[in-house]
Amino acid sequence: MLDPIDRLSEVIFGLLMALSFTGTMSVAVGEGDKVGTVLWAALGCNLAWGIVDGVMFALTTAVERAKRLNFIEDIRILPSAEARLIFLAEMPEDIRLATSEADAENVVTRIKSLPASDHRRIMGIRDVGAAVSICLLVIASTLPPSMPFLFVDDLPTAMRVSNVVSVAMLFLIGARLGNYMGRSPWPMALAMSAIGSFLVVITIALGG
């Protein structure tokens, strides 16, 4: 229901959320509070953001699908000249520059010849499943960085171990993302780990 780049992006999002939140939460609770405070706060934060991200995915999917259906309907009912302009306006710039007037006219003619469809549903069961998958991915990405808070009682030590786990995961996922893009995995892996390391440095500078 989600393509590889969507899955990897959601895991990266969850890890960055976990890094940011556990760092700022450790500053807020102070050394006197229990490590579990940070753990449950991080899990609760990513649960909330997982739900929000899933809902926003469903909403944007519905909006884009409605826009696409309206686009096809406009092409079908408008005069050819106006339909051709709308068609070209919706194309990415590089594709639009490579599309001649004759090419656009041919596509518009074929769209106009299509029978009218009564299927205008903008949300389906697969979309709901994808939204749930996004929510679960964001939540699941919090679990590995949260494990140190279960086994280490000292908050600063738990924080550093959690940071290392998060940065290592970002490095591996960045490498997977680079491979998926058809390029060398190292630049993306280093970029992702650099972002994570930057968040750790900011957290330490703030006292986390």
Side-chain angles (χ1 to χ4, degrees):
M1 288 181 286
L2 295 175
D3 62 36
I5 192 133
D6 284 334
R7 291 196 297 269
L8 293 174
S9 298
E10 292 302 330
V11 174
I12 290 172
F13 171 77
L15 285 171
L16 293 177
M17 283 294 300
L19 265 174
S20 302
F21 191 80
T22 54
T24 54
M25 188 65 189
S26 69
V27 177
V29 300
E31 294 182 359
D33 286 312
K34 295 182 179 179
V35 173
T37 304
V38 178
L39 171 63
W40 291 112
L43 292 174
C45 175
N46 266 36
L47 172 61
W49 275 108
I51 294 172
V52 169
D53 207 22
V55 170
M56 289 306 300
F57 170 85
L59 178 61
T60 54
T61 297
V63 170
E64 287 298 322
R65 188 165 294 149
K67 181 181 178 182
R68 186 166 63 251
L69 289 171
N70 291 336
F71 166 72
I72 296 297
E73 186 64 20
D74 287 344
I75 295 294
R76 288 185 63 254
I77 64 176
L78 289 174
S80 294
E82 190 174 347
R84 188 170 61 250
L85 292 176
I86 291 176
F87 172 78
L88 290 172
E90 288 294 323
M91 295 297 101
E93 184 177 0
D94 51 349
I95 296 178
R96 183 169 64 249
L97 292 175
T99 303
S100 67
E101 290 287 331
D103 293 332
E105 182 64 35
N106 288 334
V107 175
V108 166
T109 301
R110 286 198 294 270
I111 292 176
K112 284 181 172 294
S113 66
L114 295 174
S117 175
D118 294 330
H119 180 71
R120 295 186 60 84
R121 185 175 60 184
I122 62 174
M123 182 65 61
I125 189 66
R126 287 182 61 83
D127 302 313
V128 175
V132 172
S133 297
I134 286 175
C135 179
L136 294 177
L137 278 172
V138 173
I139 296 170
S141 65
T142 313
L143 298 180
S146 299
M147 290 299 102
F149 295 100
L150 289 176
F151 302 107
V152 181
D153 293 328
D154 181 63
L155 180 56
T157 302
M159 278 296 306
R160 297 292 83 83
V161 175
S162 177
N163 293 157
V164 170
V165 171
S166 295
V167 172
M169 288 182 66
L170 284 170
F171 180 88
L172 294 174
I173 294 169
R176 288 286 301 275
L177 196 58
N179 281 328
Y180 181 76
M181 294 166 60
R183 300 186 176 185
S184 170
W186 304 116
M188 187 61 71
L190 293 173
M192 287 294 101
S193 57
I195 292 172
S197 299
F198 176 75
L199 289 174
V200 172
V201 170
I202 293 298
T203 296
I204 293 174
L206 292 173

